[in-house]
Amino acid sequence: MSRRLVWSFMLVFALVLVGNAGLGLAQEKSYTNGIDANFPPFAFVDKTGNPDGFDVAVVNWIAKEKGFKVKHQPMDWDGIIPSLNAKKIDFIASGMSITDARKKEVSFTNAYWKISQVLVAPKDSKVTSAAEAMKDGNKIGVQRGTTEAKWIEENLIKKEGKKFELVYYDSAPLAVEDVVNGRIVAAAMDDAPAKDAVKKKPVKIIGSFGMPEEEFGYAVRKDDAELLKTLNEGLAKIMASPTWGELKKKYELE
């Protein structure tokens, strides 16, 4: 075989390898997950500036299992669904409640967590119930864009005519800070971040305020059936594995 022919074979072989490598890169998928950076223990940014939390860890596991890359992007919660539909992010895995209103805008995975909403008050407060906290003239904090904010507005203020003042915050932890500082009587939030706040701040949970329990799910655009299927398969697999219990324990959700 001539040297020229050998070089020709080597060149063809090299081109095949490069082509296959390019095909592999083209097939490798990457997604951006939008998160609330102030929703511990489900999603937050740690002291080193890296996204962390139960949902972040679950999605990282699913990404590894299903063969895609994922980036977790902190965003303002009240604009996170518009950002999803504007294709600034690909899905939302950050303690999002499944509601009929949201179902009109996005598609949800199967539920993976059930939560209830509670009020958090100062640890030394004489207020011991929602009825006491939500008296006329009192200030109650809530994170804007949340289901609890909407439920309180529609049911307690509009329907029942309650006269307390609803004060809006960019995050639940900011509302807790004002609880501690005495600027508001109590703050409404999901029970998981409320329990997290109790561990870190001089506050206490004084009970629910009548809002029904909700379930969390991951949200995708309505036309993204493939990603929805991938996330549902990943959730089913991790929830059936020992890792699920390990992560619940790690993030103190048990």
Side-chain angles (χ1 to χ4, degrees):
M1 185 180 291
S2 69
R3 183 176 297 179
R4 181 177 296 178
L5 189 58
V6 170
W7 278 106
S8 296
F9 277 126
M10 292 179 65
L11 179 59
V12 171
F13 183 67
L15 289 172
V16 169
L17 287 178
V18 171
N20 287 339
L23 181 62
L25 289 174
Q27 291 177 337
E28 187 175 44
K29 294 184 178 180
S30 180
Y31 298 109
T32 299
N33 170 34
I35 65 168
D36 181 345
N38 293 287
F39 193 66
F42 286 94
F44 57 91
V45 173
D46 66 20
K47 294 179 181 178
T48 64
N50 293 314
D52 197 1
F54 181 77
D55 280 327
V56 171
V58 169
V59 170
N60 286 341
W61 188 94
I62 292 174
K64 185 176 180 181
E65 186 72 20
K66 303 298 288 185
F68 64 85
K69 291 185 177 180
V70 64
K71 173 187 176 183
H72 304 279
Q73 181 64 52
M75 311 194 75
D76 290 335
W77 190 249
D78 60 343
I80 202 164
I81 287 181
S83 293
L84 173 64
N85 286 325
K87 298 187 177 181
K88 294 179 180 179
I89 54 176
D90 298 300
F91 64 99
I92 303 166
S94 184
M96 176 169 274
S97 298
I98 301 170
T99 68
D100 290 338
R102 286 172 174 166
K103 284 180 180 179
K104 295 176 182 178
E105 299 183 81
V106 299
S107 293
F108 281 101
T109 61
N110 298 325
Y112 66 92
W113 201 264
K114 183 174 286 188
I115 48 95
S116 58
Q117 286 74 25
V118 297
L119 286 180
V120 170
K123 192 172 184 179
D124 59 358
S125 173
K126 294 180 180 179
V127 174
T128 59
S129 68
E132 291 180 71
M134 292 176 162
K135 285 181 178 179
D136 292 357
N138 282 351
K139 292 183 178 180
I140 301 297
V142 69
Q143 182 180 359
R144 60 173 54 89
T146 58
T147 55
E148 54 266 30
K150 186 175 182 180
W151 191 90
I152 291 171
E153 292 165 356
E154 293 182 350
N155 292 274
L156 300 185
I157 295 177
K158 291 180 181 178
K159 290 183 181 179
E160 295 186 20
K162 300 288 186 181
K163 302 297 183 183
F164 59 84
E165 180 183 350
L166 204 55
V167 182
Y168 298 89
Y169 295 86
D170 289 334
S171 70
L174 287 177
V176 171
E177 286 299 324
D178 270 7
V179 168
V180 174
N181 295 329
R183 295 190 181 97
I184 55 178
V185 174
M189 64 188 70
D190 292 338
D191 58 355
K195 292 173 184 175
D196 183 79
V198 169
K199 297 171 188 173
K200 299 174 181 177
K201 302 288 181 178
V203 295
K204 63 182 178 181
I205 295 172
I206 58 173
S208 64
F209 48 89
M211 184 175 173
E213 286 187 331
E214 295 183 325
E215 293 181 314
F216 284 166
Y218 296 162
V220 304
R221 286 184 290 276
K222 279 188 168 294
D223 60 357
D224 206 343
E226 181 182 352
L227 179 55
L228 183 66
K229 181 174 180 289
T230 296
L231 292 174
N232 266 326
E233 289 174 348
L235 275 171
K237 193 161 188 177
I238 190 172
M239 290 174 75
S241 76
T243 303
W244 187 253
E246 293 166 5
L247 290 178
K248 287 196 295 182
K249 185 176 181 179
K250 177 180 178 179
Y251 293 100
E252 300 181 326
L253 281 164
E254 291 187 317

